[in-house]
Amino acid sequence: MDEENLYLKIISLKNLILAWRRARKGKTKKIYVKEFEENLAYNLKILHEELKTQIYYPRPLITFILRDPKTRKISKSDFRDRIVHHAIVNILEPIFDKSFIYDSCANRKGKGNLFAIKRFEKFQRRVTNNLHSEAFCFKADIKHYFHEIDHEILLRIIKRKIKDEKVIWLIELILKNFDDRDKGIPLGNLTSQFFANIYLNELDYFVKHKLKAKYYIRYVDDFILLNPSREELLSWGGDKYFS
C-alpha cells in the first residue's frame, strides 16, 4: 500500500461510509445514532471536510464506571468520533495485523475468547504429552495496562510502519483526548483495542523470539506461558509467582 495515500484512504467518503456502518452495528436504536442519521449525508460530508482540512477535533469523552465484576472506568467517544476510529482501523489494521503473532487472540478477525481457549487446550495436550506428563503454567496480566501505555513509545512503534505525517497527526489527536495527555488510552475506544495490540506486539516478539517460548497465548493484557520445565519458567522471571 502506498504510504503517502494512507491519510486520503482513511478520510475518503467511501471509507467513512464503511466506518459509519461498522460504528452503528448493534446500536441502531440508540438516540445518538438516530440523531446523526437524521442528516446522514450532511454529517458525513462535514466530517470528511474537517478531516480533509485538518480542523477536525474529537469531542470530550463521556466517562462512567462499569462493574462486571471488576470495576472499570469506561470512556465513550462521541458517535462521530467513533466513525473516525473505525475509519483509521479499517485502513491501518491490515498493515499491522500481518506482523502480529498467531496467538495474539483479542480484537482480531477470526480470533477471540473461544479461539484462545482452543489454543490453550491444544498447547496443554502438547506440553503434557496428551496429559501423561507434568507441565507448568505461568499466568499473568499487566496491572492498569490501558492507563499506563506511554504515548511516545506507542507513536514510535507506529511510525516504524506509518510514515504519513497526517495519519500520525490524527492518531495523536485521539491519544491526547484523554485524562493524561502523555500516558494512557481509554477503555471503550476501538482504537484503544487496536493500539493495545500494537503496543504489546513488542512483548509477543520478546517472548517468542528472545525467550523462544513455544506455548504462549496473549489476550489483550492477559497472557499465559506453558512449559514442561518449571526451572525454565522460573528463569524467565516468574520465580516470585511460584511457591
Side-chain angles (χ1 to χ4, degrees):
M1 184 180 289
D2 187 349
E3 295 289 349
E4 293 182 0
N5 291 326
L6 276 183
Y7 188 72
L8 294 179
K9 289 178 183 293
I10 289 170
I11 70 166
S12 70
L13 278 172
K14 180 181 178 181
N15 189 45
L16 289 177
I17 291 169
L18 175 61
W20 156 68
R21 286 176 176 155
R22 290 179 173 174
R24 77 192 291 270
K25 190 174 182 180
K27 301 177 178 66
T28 54
K29 294 182 180 180
K30 298 287 187 181
I31 293 174
Y32 56 79
V33 175
K34 290 180 178 179
E35 288 176 348
F36 188 88
E37 293 177 355
E38 281 177 2
N39 207 342
L40 179 61
Y42 174 78
N43 286 330
L44 285 176
K45 185 178 179 182
I46 290 296
L47 185 58
H48 169 71
E49 288 297 324
E50 288 180 11
L51 290 163
K52 183 179 178 181
T53 56
Q54 289 185 273
I55 62 170
Y56 165 79
Y57 200 85
R59 293 172 182 174
L61 300 170
I62 298 171
T63 300
F64 59 93
I65 302 300
L66 184 67
R67 294 177 175 86
D68 66 339
K70 288 198 300 185
T71 299
R72 295 184 297 161
K73 182 180 178 182
I74 306 295
S75 298
K76 288 179 65 175
S77 294
D78 189 87
F79 184 65
R80 78 195 301 266
D81 297 323
R82 286 184 236 172
I83 293 173
V84 175
H85 298 170
H86 276 274
I88 292 169
V89 174
N90 286 348
I91 303 303
L92 298 192
E93 188 174 45
I95 296 172
F96 284 92
D97 191 76
K98 64 182 71 173
S99 68
F100 293 163
I101 67 166
Y102 186 74
D103 292 308
S104 168
C105 302
N107 310 309
R108 297 177 67 195
K109 293 175 184 176
K111 305 291 173 80
N113 283 324
L114 185 59
F115 175 87
I117 291 168
K118 286 182 177 179
R119 289 296 284 175
F120 176 80
E121 291 172 346
K122 184 175 183 177
F123 286 169
Q124 185 183 36
R125 290 192 299 271
R126 284 184 180 177
V127 77
T128 62
N129 189 26
N130 280 324
L131 306 180
H132 289 105
S133 304
E134 185 178 57
F136 298 87
C137 175
F138 174 65
K139 181 181 182 297
D141 62 46
I142 300 170
K143 189 175 181 180
H144 305 313
Y145 172 56
F146 279 83
H147 287 272
E148 294 298 326
I149 289 177
D150 186 296
H151 294 178
E152 185 179 343
I153 293 173
L154 174 61
L155 285 167
R156 192 158 64 236
I157 296 168
I158 291 172
K159 286 177 182 177
R160 292 177 195 163
K161 292 184 179 293
I162 307 301
K163 308 302 180 184
D164 190 323
E165 292 183 1
K166 290 182 178 180
V167 176
I168 301 301
W169 165 80
L170 184 56
I171 290 172
E172 284 186 292
L173 273 186
I174 292 168
L175 290 176
K176 292 184 184 300
N177 189 36
F178 193 47
D179 301 339
D180 188 326
R181 295 173 66 84
D182 298 312
K183 185 173 70 172
I185 55 179
L187 276 169
N189 279 357
L190 176 68
T191 45
S192 294
Q193 299 168 12
F194 176 55
F195 295 152
N197 271 343
I198 292 174
Y199 201 80
L200 279 187
N201 192 45
E202 304 294 299
L203 171 65
D204 297 341
Y205 271 71
F206 173 79
V207 173
K208 296 297 291 183
H209 298 290
K210 295 293 183 181
L211 299 182
K212 300 191 182 302
K214 289 179 68 176
Y215 307 116
Y216 165 75
I217 303 167
R218 181 175 63 79
Y219 192 96
V220 194
D221 58 330
D222 292 289
F223 59 93
I224 287 175
L225 294 110
L226 299 171
N227 200 306
S229 168
R230 182 177 186 274
E231 288 67 32
E232 187 160 38
L233 279 180
L234 291 174
S235 74
W236 290 342
D239 56 303
K240 66 179 180 179
Y241 298 98
F242 289 83
S243 57

